[in-house]
Amino acid sequence: MFIIAYTSFFAFLAGCLLLYYLLFTRRPETSINNPVFITFQRSYLLVYYLAVMADWLQGPYLYKLYSHYGFLEPQIALLYVCGYASNILFGTFAPLVTHKFGRKKMCIFFTVVYSVCCITKLSRLYGILMIGRILGGVSTALLFTAFEAWYIHEHVETNDFPHEWLSDTFSKASLASGVIGVAAGVVTEVLAEWLGIGPVAPFVAAIPCLVAAGVIVLLKWSENYGSAKIRFKPMCMEGLKHILTDKNVLMIGLILSLVESVVCVFVFLWTPVLSPASPPLGIVFATFMVSTMVGGAVFSLLTTQGWKPLQILLAATSLATVALLAAVIFSSHPRVSFVAYLLFELCCGLYFPAMSLSRKQVLPEAHSTAILNWFRVPLNLTASCVILFFHDTSGGAPQIFTVCAVLMAIAAMLAGHFVWKSEQQGEKLQDETESVQ
């Protein structure tokens, strides 16, 4: 497993560099030369990169740490589910909390809570580790709400920069997130295995990143709040109304819930399936991240060839179904399973930008947060139920992957119906235009 992991890492890394070289050479020059904006952007990205590094550092060795402490798979599964549950509960209210109490405060709160989460990993007590997982769910919700909300407000309201420049910052953040994930995987491997510190080392290493991010936010960032009072119940009911009355909104939400619940299950399952082959977990994780970046590059290339986001969404879910079926068939062969997992991660790299664009096309912008909150519940409930009810059955990993393959196949069928429906509507509109002419 050692050889195939490192070989795959360097092979995918070379392919990734080649793809991104092709993309950057074809992309037109669109540099922004405003020095005030560049300074502002860098101040945000530095903090965001530190926060993301802290988050990625905790990915490769989480399951291994719990196993190292002697906990059984059912106990580990419950820890994962508690993390997902806390993410459901707090994630629903996170936009409201940051809106009311201040985005800067919530970013600092994130660094404190996530640092405490990392410190709990030093304990072997199950209750302390459970508290850590709950805090981890809260922290993840803040990472993907508070920072972006702070930046958008400062960009648009405080500095009055053009709205079009937002995409420059978020595209840099998205690309760097993948690069940081790769680096985090390599760093965890060095700390845990090469230096022999053990699986707790990456969690300790995450703390300085969080402290540095918190200090920069405290000293350099200004506070901002939401400009208008948000009424939670009417907002939720308006989101539900769109789901119940617009079939496209319902369909895109179901696809999102199905696919991302499978991703959550995969996060739990890949380590125990590969463990019999004694893989270098940090390098495996880094290879997953490179594979996801390859998928993102392929997405960009496909869009330049005229592919629509929904078509790429269909391709991604269909290929992911194949990868999961391979994971079912070869679940007792870790090396072959690893190859199937790489295909699955590549599909994730295709899926996430395709879903992001599809959501923007389908969901009404004013109610997108409320709509997505409704779909967070089935997403996390599905993942939690699959992990809890199938992990300790006689079927084990093959049974879980079978359920995941079925869920992904349903998502692919919904995406296929969506593509067919949009093509039918396009042909109808074209016919109407020609008849008018």
Side-chain angles (χ1 to χ4, degrees), residues 313-331:
L313 198 62
L314 172 59
T317 51
S318 300
L319 278 174
T321 303
V322 174
L324 291 168
L325 289 173
V328 173
I329 297 169
F330 299 105
S331 59

Side-chain angles (χ1 to χ4, degrees), residues 142-345:
L142 284 172
L143 175 60
F144 296 106
T145 53
F147 287 87
E148 183 176 312
W150 180 88
Y151 178 80
I152 291 173
H153 186 279
E154 291 295 307
H155 180 108
V156 176
E157 302 294 337
T158 305
N159 292 288
D160 197 27
F161 293 130
H163 199 275
E164 297 77 25
W165 291 2
L166 284 170
S167 60
D168 181 76
T169 299
F170 292 136
S171 62
K172 288 179 179 177
S174 177
L175 177 61
S177 177
V179 174
I180 291 169
V182 176
V186 175
V187 169
T188 60
E189 185 67 22
V190 171
L191 293 173
E193 304 297 340
W194 295 7
L195 299 180
I197 302 175
V200 75
F203 300 92
V204 176
I207 297 174
C209 298
L210 293 165
V211 171
V215 170
I216 295 172
V217 171
L218 180 65
L219 298 178
K220 300 292 186 180
W221 286 17
S222 58
E223 184 61 276
N224 64 56
Y225 301 86
S227 57
K229 185 178 180 181
I230 297 178
R231 299 174 62 192
F232 181 70
K233 185 176 179 180
M235 181 185 73
C236 290
M237 296 311 297
E238 192 64 31
L240 181 61
K241 178 183 175 182
H242 281 282
I243 294 171
L244 297 177
T245 57
D246 191 330
K247 291 182 179 179
N248 289 340
V249 171
L250 176 62
M251 200 174 300
I252 205 73
L254 288 174
I255 295 170
L256 182 147
S257 293
L258 290 167
V259 174
E260 296 185 23
S261 64
V262 172
V263 173
C264 289
V265 175
F266 177 79
V267 168
F268 164 76
L269 202 58
W270 71 267
T271 304
V273 173
L274 298 181
S275 288
S278 301
L281 294 177
I283 298 302
V284 169
F285 182 85
T287 311
F288 287 164
M289 296 303 302
V290 175
S291 184
T292 303
M293 291 184 68
V294 169
V298 172
F299 169 84
S300 298
L301 290 173
L302 289 175
T303 54
T304 61
Q305 299 299 315
W307 283 58
K308 297 178 181 178
L310 285 174
Q311 293 172 325
I312 299 175
L313 198 62
L314 172 59
T317 51
S318 300
L319 278 174
T321 303
V322 174
L324 291 168
L325 289 173
V328 173
I329 297 169
F330 299 105
S331 59
S332 59
H333 300 82
R335 292 168 180 82
V336 184
S337 294
F338 175 60
V339 176
Y341 297 167
L342 291 177
L343 176 59
F344 178 78
E345 289 288 345

Side-chain angles (χ1 to χ4, degrees), residues 14-187:
C16 183
L17 292 173
L18 177 60
L19 285 171
Y20 276 97
Y21 172 77
L22 292 174
L23 283 173
F24 282 116
T25 54
R26 293 181 181 183
R27 193 173 65 175
E29 286 283 338
T30 55
S31 59
I32 301 171
N33 298 317
N34 186 313
V36 177
F37 170 74
I38 292 172
T39 302
F40 165 68
Q41 184 188 64
R42 286 175 179 172
S43 70
Y44 167 74
L45 289 176
L46 175 60
V47 172
Y48 181 76
Y49 293 161
L50 288 168
V52 170
M53 173 58 91
D55 187 50
W56 284 133
L57 282 170
Q58 299 176 61
Y61 280 88
L62 181 60
Y63 191 103
K64 177 70 178 287
L65 179 70
Y66 294 146
S67 179
H68 176 73
Y69 285 162
F71 296 110
L72 301 176
E73 190 169 314
Q75 295 172 301
I76 298 173
L78 188 58
L79 287 169
Y80 272 78
V81 168
C82 284
Y84 294 149
S86 71
N87 189 269
I88 291 176
L89 292 174
F90 190 78
T92 303
F93 299 99
L96 300 176
V97 172
T98 57
H99 183 90
K100 181 176 180 179
F101 294 101
R103 282 92 180 222
K104 175 182 175 178
K105 291 187 185 70
M106 288 300 104
C107 290
I108 295 172
F109 182 67
F110 157 83
T111 63
V112 173
V113 171
Y114 222 6
S115 296
V116 175
C117 169
C118 293
I119 292 170
T120 62
K121 301 299 188 295
L122 297 171
S123 172
R124 292 175 177 263
L125 297 176
Y126 190 75
I128 299 297
L129 293 172
M130 183 71 74
I131 293 172
R133 280 299 292 166
I134 293 170
L135 294 177
V138 172
S139 303
T140 304
L142 284 172
L143 175 60
F144 296 106
T145 53
F147 287 87
E148 183 176 312
W150 180 88
Y151 178 80
I152 291 173
H153 186 279
E154 291 295 307
H155 180 108
V156 176
E157 302 294 337
T158 305
N159 292 288
D160 197 27
F161 293 130
H163 199 275
E164 297 77 25
W165 291 2
L166 284 170
S167 60
D168 181 76
T169 299
F170 292 136
S171 62
K172 288 179 179 177
S174 177
L175 177 61
S177 177
V179 174
I180 291 169
V182 176
V186 175
V187 169

